[in-house]
Amino acid sequence: MSPRSSGQRLLAFDRRLGVRFVAGADEAGRGSLAGPLVVAGVLLDYELLRGSRVRPLGGLNDSKQVEHAERELLFRAVVGAAAKISVRMVPVREIDARGLHRSNLAALRGVLSELHPPAEACLVDGFRLGQAAPPHTAIVDGDARSAAIAAASIVAKVLRDRVMRRLDALYPRYGFMSHVGYITPAHSKAVRAFGPCELHRRSFDAACYQAA
């Protein structure tokens, strides 16, 4: 399937909901050993999302299926097309204190609540957020099905990667520039050699911590 047809397919999924305002929420960094969790909400106005405003979204897809350079282009396209974007960055200390899942759900509730005008359809990648959240629908593999969720995944991934690459200058021993905090053989080797830094999630049961 071509990149353009993927975007058309995701946009068509949202349009079939039959409402004007569709919000999507997703996170980046859930499985990372180090660094923050970044959660994004994107509101799309399907009454205005036509013609020149929608064409840049032709390559929209799940952020995990898109290379770095293309994600940067899609990020700019989403910023130009979205009616509203909301972002929350959950620091390591909160992840360790509250737990990853609780922190993630709270941030997803937060970004959806901050989107205005309120969405007529709120879509979340995979998770039910509880009664404290706006009315929403959890969609399995939603970032590969809904344009609003895919847009949120692009925003969250691009912003998190930028943060981690900047933090590489402060913590050059760990190689954040390349793996942006995820577990790789090189990352694990660095943790064993130097010990974890303050960016590492100590609540994670990682083998490299035991050897550090």
Side-chain angles (χ1 to χ4, degrees), residues 11-54:
L11 290 158
F13 179 94
D14 288 5
R15 290 191 189 278
R16 284 195 297 270
L17 298 173
V19 298
R20 175 175 177 176
F21 292 104
V22 179
D26 200 6
E27 79 283 326
R30 184 176 174 86
S32 179
L33 183 66
L37 179 73
V38 176
V39 179
V42 172
L43 182 67
L44 299 180
D45 179 351
Y46 277 94
E47 185 171 300
L48 300 181
L49 198 59
R50 301 182 184 279
S52 61
R53 294 195 64 178
V54 76

Side-chain angles (χ1 to χ4, degrees), residues 15-196:
R15 290 191 189 278
R16 284 195 297 270
L17 298 173
V19 298
R20 175 175 177 176
F21 292 104
V22 179
D26 200 6
E27 79 283 326
R30 184 176 174 86
S32 179
L33 183 66
L37 179 73
V38 176
V39 179
V42 172
L43 182 67
L44 299 180
D45 179 351
Y46 277 94
E47 185 171 300
L48 300 181
L49 198 59
R50 301 182 184 279
S52 61
R53 294 195 64 178
V54 76
R55 277 193 290 272
L57 298 179
L60 189 62
N61 206 344
D62 169 12
S63 64
K64 298 185 291 295
Q65 304 300 320
V66 182
E67 295 297 325
H68 169 74
E70 181 67 14
R71 278 199 303 267
E72 289 285 344
L73 292 174
L74 285 170
F75 176 83
R76 291 195 286 273
V78 170
V79 170
K84 183 77 173 181
I85 295 174
S86 176
V87 176
R88 289 198 177 189
M89 191 167 296
V90 184
V92 171
R93 62 181 179 275
E94 182 175 338
I95 293 170
D96 285 344
R98 298 184 65 185
L100 175 67
H101 188 59
R102 288 181 62 195
S103 299
N104 189 25
L105 296 186
L108 287 165
R109 287 192 291 266
V111 296
L112 287 176
S113 298
E114 290 166 1
L115 295 175
H116 296 284
E120 297 157 277
C122 290
L123 309 178
V124 183
D125 186 24
F127 297 113
R128 291 288 303 166
L129 306 181
Q131 294 182 351
H136 61 283
T137 301
I139 300 178
V140 176
D141 295 327
D143 47 6
R145 297 174 63 190
S146 159
I149 297 178
S153 79
I154 292 289
V155 170
K157 175 64 174 169
V158 168
L159 292 180
R160 187 181 185 280
D161 283 2
R162 289 178 181 178
V163 167
M164 293 305 296
R165 291 187 171 111
R166 288 173 183 148
L167 288 170
D168 182 80
L170 297 178
Y171 303 92
R173 292 175 165 179
Y174 297 96
F176 293 137
M177 182 67 72
S178 61
H179 55 65
V180 295
Y182 288 90
I183 297 176
T184 65
H187 189 185
S188 296
K189 183 179 179 180
V191 173
R192 291 189 182 99
F194 305 114

